[in-house]
Each structure stands twice: as structure tokens, then as C-alpha cells.
């Protein structure tokens, strides 16, 4: 999996993770987001 973060002024504000390997290619050929999170304070 690949995980990306949005960092503003040294503080993580959001993350998104998608499957790196095509384990769900029977559903779609598009990248599959498996997890995301956003800081509720922003």
C-alpha cells in the first residue's frame, strides 16, 4: 500500500492510502482507496 499525507506547518492534516497491488482488479481497474483521514479541527 502507499500512504500519502498532507502536512501544513509541520502538522499532519490528512492522509490517504491506496492499494499498491491489483488485489481488487476484479472490481475495477482504477486505484482503490482503502483508508483516508482528515483532522476534524481543520
Amino acid at each position: 500500500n502507499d500512504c500519502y499525507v498532507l502536512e501544513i506547518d509541520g502538522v499532519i492534516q490528512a492522509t490517504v492510502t491506496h492499494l499498491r497491488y491489483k488485489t481488487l482488479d476484479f472490481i475495477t481497474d482504477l486505484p482503490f482507496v482503502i483508508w483516508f483521514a482528515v483532522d476534524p479541527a481543520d
Side-chain angles (χ1 to χ4, degrees):
N1 301 332
D2 292 318
C3 182
Y4 299 93
V5 298
L6 171 64
E7 185 178 311
I8 299 174
D9 296 327
V11 178
I12 294 175
Q13 301 296 316
T15 66
V16 65
T17 303
H18 74 82
L19 289 176
R20 174 180 251 179
Y21 305 105
K22 293 196 169 256
T23 57
L24 297 175
D25 60 354
F26 63 93
I27 296 173
T28 181
D29 291 333
L30 299 172
F32 200 86
V33 173
I34 59 172
W35 186 257
F36 67 91
V38 177
D39 184 352
D42 292 330

